[in-house]
Amino acid sequence: MDVPAAAAALPLAWNSRVLGRVGPTAVKVLRMDGLPVAEERHGHTEVLLVLDGRLELVVDGADVPLGPGGMYVVPAGVPHAVAAGSRGTLVIVEAAD
């Protein structure tokens, strides 16, 4: 599977597509387009992996910039947001909803 191509084919940025599942865990991809994403929290741990581009992540108020190949594990319940300027392909691994 060509993951960046799957992200590029999405009609809207920041709307993810499930690529596969491992038990109750979903592997998703999305395209970042430079716009910010408001702070959110989840009831489950989430892994964010930047395939290409840059993710300007803000975790619990701290800046966590990630470039290609960068990964961050956001623990359950921790507030996180995306600052403006994030572009590229992001893979998210999380418990299925």
Side-chain angles (χ1 to χ4, degrees):
M1 174 182 296
D2 185 335
V3 177
L10 292 170
L12 298 172
W14 297 111
N15 286 342
S16 63
R17 172 184 166 210
V18 175
L19 298 177
R21 295 186 187 279
V22 179
T25 302
V27 178
K28 305 191 301 189
V29 66
L30 62 78
R31 178 172 40 85
M32 302 179 285
D33 70 350
L35 295 177
V37 176
E39 184 175 279
E40 58 185 6
R41 298 172 192 243
H42 304 288
H44 52 269
T45 298
E46 179 177 62
V47 174
L48 306 174
L49 172 64
V50 178
L51 288 188
D52 58 67
R54 187 157 185 84
L55 172 62
E56 300 298 339
L57 185 64
V58 180
V59 179
D60 206 13
D63 293 338
V64 182
L66 297 171
M71 185 181 91
Y72 191 87
V73 178
V74 181
V78 173
H80 57 287
V82 177
S86 299
R87 295 188 178 281
T89 307
L90 181 66
V91 171
I92 301 171
V93 180
E94 66 182 7
D97 292 331

